[in-house]
Every structure is written in structure tokens, then in C-alpha cells.
Amino acid sequence: MTDTPAYEPPKVWTWNKESGGRFASINRPIAGPTHDKELPVGRHPLQLYSLATPNGVKVTVMLEELLAAGHKGAEYDAWLIKIDGNQFGSGFVAVNPNSKIPALMDRSGPEPIRVFESGSILVYLAEKFGAFLPTDTKRRAETFSWLFWQMGSAPYLGGGFGHFYAYAPTKIEYAIDRFAMEVKRQLDVLDRRLADNEYLAGDVYTIADMAVWPWYGGLAKGLLYGGGEFLSVQDYKNVQRWTDAIAARPAVKRGRMVNRTWGEPSSQLHERHDAGDFETKTQDKIEQAAS
């Protein structure tokens, strides 16, 4: 049990203090912009505004996979949106009223089309280019089922386990135990599926894998919340196999680098405007040029 005193909720909740934790200074119970700031626009049809969190990586991996598959129309500019208040700029809120990364503007047609929510962006791109979304009914249904499984499950991983285990100002045993149990159950769901299937939809690599991998693949390698040992992630052998196979894909390696601002400088490509940026504009190259 915890020594934290029991909390008696008021009859009506009011926002009268910061919630505490790592992101307390930018959390608020209202939507909309806090300041005027237009978004930059590059030369490619697709304009991505993002950060290399798991949700952001989903989309950059998809775009790099499309380019690797020969879809030249998938060329894109990736602009960095740091989660430090920039997500509340008027230009970004106009693209995503929920003020979350990633957000996409498709300027390839007569009128720009905005797309927000990472799962929605994956489906939009898959349908636009006819790629990574099976056309046969059974595998298409399986792809959508796992895609939406991820969209519904990840809040337990990030907002639940990740928040209380890594970010909350106070360690609460009940909260950590509750969400650790659920995350381990989710890992077991994946492990059982991958025991008899190469990928989540069966024998084909799809947007479902692209959606699930940045979250649960990262967790399986101990890269999220420092919780790998705590959750015994090494025990999920089929998840480990699947994670390693996807991580080895060249497009995935590139997608992980885009809009990344932490880790080894050679793994960080803060903005991506051309395929050649991976060779010339990673942070190690920029720092060398500046020294």
C-alpha cells in the first residue's frame, strides 16, 4: 500500500493548479491555440508536422516505406514540432485541432487536405498510394483490427503505465500495478498472435505493423519509460522476433531518425526535406560543420 493520503474528489472539478509530472506546464483542460504562429511549407506535396515519438515514427516509417517501394508522390517535408507549447500555435491547431503530433497536410490536389491522428494518416496514405493495406477481405480486416487495437491499447501503455511509472511526481503502487498488468496482458496478446504469423495481418507487412512497432517494439527493447526489466519484456520471444525483423528494414531505420531530437547525434535528423538529408544533415554532421 501507499502512504499517499486518500483523495476525496470535489463535487465539481476545477483547474486551480498544475497536475504535476514531466509535462505539467503544458497540460490544460481547454483546446485551441495559445499564440499565433504559421506553419512552414516546403516544396513537396506532403507536409508533415511531427516529432519522433512512437506516434510520429508510425508516419515517417510509412512515408519512407512508400518511397522505398517506388511511390515518388510520397516525397515529403518533415517539420519539427516540439511538445513544449509549439503544438498550440495557431497554424498547427488549424491542421490538428487536438494539438497532438503527427499532423499531415496533403497539398498534391487543388485544395489542401489535412489529416490528423496517426492511425488516420496511415490509412489515408495506404489508400492514396494503394500500398501496405491488403485488398483481399480477410487480410484487410485483420490489418484494420490490429491497427485499431493499437490505437485503443497505446493509451494504457503511454498515458497509463508510462505516466505513472516514469513521469508522475509520486509513485503510486496501485496505479503502477494496474497498468503494468494491462501492458503485460497486451504483450501476451501480441506474442500469441505472432507465434503463428510473421506479421500482424498474417504473411504480409502492413500499416498494422507500422502502427504497433514503434510502441510495443520499442517497449520490447527497453526503449520506452525505462520499463523493460520491470515488465520482463525479454520473455515475449515472438514479439522480440517480430521487433527485430521490422527494425532491420532500411525504411524503418530512416523513419526512426526523422524529427528525432534525442539519442546519438548520428540518429537525429531534426527535419527532413530531401532523401539526401540522411547522409548530410544528421546532428553529428551539423555539429561537425559548426565546430
Side-chain angles (χ1 to χ4, degrees):
M1 298 296 291
T2 177
D3 293 330
T4 303
Y7 170 62
E8 183 66 32
K11 186 174 182 179
V12 177
W13 184 84
T14 57
W15 184 37
N16 54 21
K17 63 180 184 299
E18 288 188 353
S19 59
R22 179 174 171 181
F23 301 105
S25 64
I26 59 172
N27 290 335
R28 60 195 184 117
I30 54 176
T34 60
H35 59 283
D36 290 329
K37 185 176 182 180
E38 293 302 311
L39 291 175
V41 178
R43 63 188 178 91
H44 296 302
L46 300 175
Q47 298 293 302
L48 179 67
Y49 304 95
S50 192
L51 180 69
T53 64
N55 285 333
V57 168
K58 295 177 193 177
V59 178
T60 49
V61 164
M62 174 61 164
L63 289 166
E64 291 298 328
E65 290 281 14
L66 286 168
L67 291 170
H71 297 280
K72 296 181 180 179
E75 267 295 352
Y76 68 104
D77 291 277
W79 303 94
L80 179 63
I81 300 292
K82 292 184 179 179
I83 305 176
D84 57 2
N86 276 290
Q87 72 271 36
F88 299 120
S90 57
F92 188 78
V93 174
V95 180
N96 186 351
N98 196 37
S99 294
K100 303 288 186 181
I101 63 92
L104 179 75
M105 286 292 290
D106 183 356
R107 297 178 175 273
S108 62
E111 292 187 13
I113 297 173
R114 75 175 187 184
V115 194
F116 60 92
E117 290 296 322
S118 57
S120 177
I121 296 173
L122 290 177
V123 173
Y124 179 84
L125 292 172
E127 292 184 336
K128 179 181 177 71
F129 293 101
F132 303 110
L133 180 59
T135 55
D136 64 282
T137 302
K138 183 177 180 180
R139 288 191 293 185
R140 185 179 181 89
E142 197 73 21
T143 299
F144 279 129
S145 291
W146 286 106
L147 172 64
F148 286 101
W149 176 86
Q150 187 278 318
M151 300 298 289
S153 296
Y156 287 94
L157 174 52
F161 174 75
H163 176 78
F164 287 106
Y165 183 79
Y167 300 143
T170 303
K171 302 299 183 187
I172 303 172
E173 182 180 2
Y174 171 79
I176 293 173
D177 284 352
R178 168 68 182 88
F179 288 109
M181 181 182 297
E182 175 59 17
V183 170
K184 286 184 70 66
R185 189 192 68 82
Q186 292 172 3
L187 285 167
D188 195 43
V189 169
L190 280 177
D191 206 60
R192 290 168 184 266
R193 173 61 180 171
L194 293 167
D196 301 313
N197 295 275
E198 185 177 4
Y199 299 107
L200 290 173
D203 59 350
V204 291
Y205 174 62
T206 70
I207 56 174
D209 300 287
M210 297 180 204
V212 175
W213 180 82
W215 281 102
Y216 295 89
L219 184 67
K221 293 304 176 184
L223 302 178
L224 294 186
Y225 314 119
E229 181 180 7
F230 181 75
L231 295 170
S232 301
V233 293
Q234 71 281 352
D235 294 346
Y236 302 95
K237 303 299 184 185
N238 302 309
V239 175
Q240 293 287 342
R241 185 271 306 163
W242 167 83
T243 295
D244 290 341
I246 293 177
R249 296 176 68 90
V252 172
K253 292 179 180 180
R254 292 192 297 274
R256 287 189 70 236
M257 296 170 63
V258 179
N259 297 142
R260 185 177 176 88
T261 61
W262 57 88
E264 290 295 323
S266 60
S267 74
Q268 300 179 33
L269 183 63
H270 290 191
E271 292 187 354
R272 186 265 192 216
H273 303 290
D274 184 84
D277 291 348
F278 291 100
E279 302 298 327
T280 62
K281 294 186 179 179
T282 53
Q283 276 305 107
D284 59 324
K285 301 289 188 354
I286 291 174
E287 290 171 7
Q288 288 173 11
S291 62

